[in-house]
Amino acid sequence: MEIRKATIADYDRLVALDTVAASDVARRNQLKAWIEAGTCHVAEIDRSPAAYGVLTYHFFGNGFIEMLTVGERFRRHGIGRALVQHFKATCTSPKLFTTTNQSNQAMQALLLTAGFRRSGFIENLDENDPEMVFFVLLP
């Protein structure tokens, strides 16, 4: 597996990988903006995208994993964990944050095993599904 910054040449393959982007114009536009901003990273297996993630610094100046999505056929193979580890290793702030829905048990488990701790929640983003905030202190 190789993890690298995404380029605009990856755009169509990342849209195909992302189950939301396939039917959501706003998500496709956001993905393109992340790629153009240089904040989108792609995990490839045999030169094919398996997952992508976005690392920004808009969260009170801290690193923030804004998006992490793994293609359906690549789930439960450690690719999401590898992207999180990549972001931990490349983050330039002393704290790294991310969020996930309370209903997303798989992402919560991934974050906890990657050393993140719960740090609160945000209500009213998705109806009846609070957003859980996680963070990790970096060396």
Side-chain angles (χ1 to χ4, degrees), residues 14-86:
L14 294 180
V15 167
L17 180 82
D18 184 334
T19 56
V20 173
S23 62
D24 185 338
V25 172
R27 177 70 148 266
R28 289 193 301 273
N29 291 339
Q30 184 63 68
L31 176 57
K32 187 174 183 181
W34 286 325
I35 292 170
E36 290 172 345
T39 59
C40 184
H41 300 246
V42 60
E44 290 183 320
I45 296 178
D46 297 327
R47 297 187 178 197
S48 293
Y52 76 87
V54 177
L55 177 64
T56 66
Y57 293 89
H58 302 299
F59 193 71
F60 301 97
N62 294 291
F64 186 75
I65 301 172
E66 192 166 333
M67 175 61 64
L68 185 88
T69 189
V70 178
E72 288 182 340
R73 69 185 185 122
F74 298 104
R75 292 179 183 163
R76 307 279 190 265
H77 291 101
I79 298 164
R81 181 178 296 122
L83 263 173
V84 168
Q85 292 302 116
H86 171 76

Side-chain angles (χ1 to χ4, degrees), residues 56-119:
T56 66
Y57 293 89
H58 302 299
F59 193 71
F60 301 97
N62 294 291
F64 186 75
I65 301 172
E66 192 166 333
M67 175 61 64
L68 185 88
T69 189
V70 178
E72 288 182 340
R73 69 185 185 122
F74 298 104
R75 292 179 183 163
R76 307 279 190 265
H77 291 101
I79 298 164
R81 181 178 296 122
L83 263 173
V84 168
Q85 292 302 116
H86 171 76
F87 290 143
K88 285 175 63 177
T90 60
C91 182
T92 60
S93 68
K95 295 178 187 176
L96 178 58
F97 288 83
T98 193
T99 66
T100 190
N101 287 97
Q102 187 174 21
S103 64
N104 192 341
Q105 299 291 317
M107 183 62 171
Q108 290 176 52
L110 184 157
L111 293 169
L112 292 171
T113 61
F116 283 72
R117 295 185 294 175
R118 288 184 180 98
S119 185

